């Protein structure tokens, strides 16, 4: 009887740990998406190049346009349900095929994003399917395609994740995002650019 009780207790403990880890993983995903889904990829299409603008004028224009786009409720974005596995020895998962061309060879995770556990972002509507990005569109509203890796927990209070954003044939970035947990909340602590286009 004692052995049965110990086995059941161990099983409950393991299930509790797994549920707790999954909760932390989705807190990390929500933190990263809230911080990183932005108008970055489309702002260049809105900025007028009729004259030289001061840095202050640029900042004001970008902020006004960003606010206007968000209030328009016209923005859309796509987050892939397909997660990748972050290789800490080779965080970009890229292998050079010659001196110029780099081919992306991300390892695909067997796990997928559960969208019911992601918070709705105020910036726009999440689409079920990614879209081709028309870089010649005059006033685009599609923010692009976003991809996440499974986080790696460095400790109970530190984690790292790879975030990737594709906003056109020559627009995108891959970033390693380092997070730390403070007061039960995950916060971005540091970032390392691993590729940009």
């Amino acid at each position: 009887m004692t052995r049965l009780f110990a086995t059941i207790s161990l099983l409950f403990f393991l299930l509790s740990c797994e549920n707790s880890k999954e909760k932390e993983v989705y807190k990390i995903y929500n933190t990263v998406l809230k911080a990183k889904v932005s108008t970055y990829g489309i702002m260049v299409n809105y900025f007028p190049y009729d004259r030289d603008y001061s840095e202050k004028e640029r900042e004001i224009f970008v902020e006004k346009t960003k606010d206007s786009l968000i209030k328009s409720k016209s923005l859309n974005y796509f987050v892939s349900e397909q997660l990748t596995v972050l290789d800490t020895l080779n965080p970009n998962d890229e292998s050079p095929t010659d001196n110029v061309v780099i081919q992306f060879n991300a390892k695909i995770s067997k796990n997928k994003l559960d969208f019911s556990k992601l918070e709705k972002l105020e910036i726009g509507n999440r689409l079920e399917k990614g879209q081709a990005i028309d870089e010649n569109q005059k006033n685009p509203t599609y923010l692009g395609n976003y991809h996440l890796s499974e986080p790696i927990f460095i400790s109970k209070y530190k984690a790292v994740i790879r975030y990737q954003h594709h906003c056109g044939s020559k627009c995108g970035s891959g970033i390693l995002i380092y997070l730390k947990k403070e007061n039960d909340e995950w916060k971005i602590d540091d970032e390392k650019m691993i590729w940009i286009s």
Side-chain angles (χ1 to χ4, degrees), residues 39-73:
T39 57
Y40 166 80
I42 65 171
M43 287 305 291
V44 69
N45 294 69
Y46 284 87
F47 195 83
Y49 290 97
D50 55 342
R51 64 178 177 85
D52 284 334
Y53 289 84
S54 70
E55 193 62 37
K56 186 68 177 167
E57 286 176 312
R58 284 176 183 273
E59 286 174 16
I60 291 168
F61 181 85
V62 166
E63 202 58 40
K64 280 176 74 174
T65 306
K66 182 179 79 173
D67 288 348
S68 173
L69 281 166
I70 293 168
K71 285 176 185 163
S72 75
K73 304 294 182 192

Side-chain angles (χ1 to χ4, degrees), residues 43-129:
M43 287 305 291
V44 69
N45 294 69
Y46 284 87
F47 195 83
Y49 290 97
D50 55 342
R51 64 178 177 85
D52 284 334
Y53 289 84
S54 70
E55 193 62 37
K56 186 68 177 167
E57 286 176 312
R58 284 176 183 273
E59 286 174 16
I60 291 168
F61 181 85
V62 166
E63 202 58 40
K64 280 176 74 174
T65 306
K66 182 179 79 173
D67 288 348
S68 173
L69 281 166
I70 293 168
K71 285 176 185 163
S72 75
K73 304 294 182 192
S74 63
L75 299 179
N76 299 299
Y77 64 95
F78 170 74
V79 177
S80 174
E81 72 171 0
Q82 192 70 63
L83 296 165
T84 57
V85 177
L86 178 56
D87 180 349
T88 53
L89 297 177
N90 183 15
N92 206 13
D93 288 330
E94 289 184 345
S95 59
T97 55
D98 60 41
N99 290 335
V100 180
V101 180
I102 301 288
Q103 182 172 347
F104 187 71
N105 292 317
K107 296 172 188 166
I108 305 300
S109 169
K110 65 181 183 349
N111 298 318
K112 295 190 175 182
L113 269 180
D114 180 348
F115 291 117
S116 70
K117 294 177 182 169
L118 291 181
E119 296 171 13
K120 185 176 181 342
L121 301 182
E122 290 181 21
I123 194 167
N125 299 310
R126 183 180 60 79
L127 302 178
E128 298 294 320
K129 292 183 180 177

Side-chain angles (χ1 to χ4, degrees), residues 132-151:
I133 297 162
D134 180 2
E135 294 164 316
N136 298 314
Q137 190 178 349
K138 188 175 180 189
N139 293 311
T141 56
Y142 186 56
L143 300 174
N145 304 313
Y146 296 84
H147 304 267
L148 300 171
S149 74
E150 293 182 331

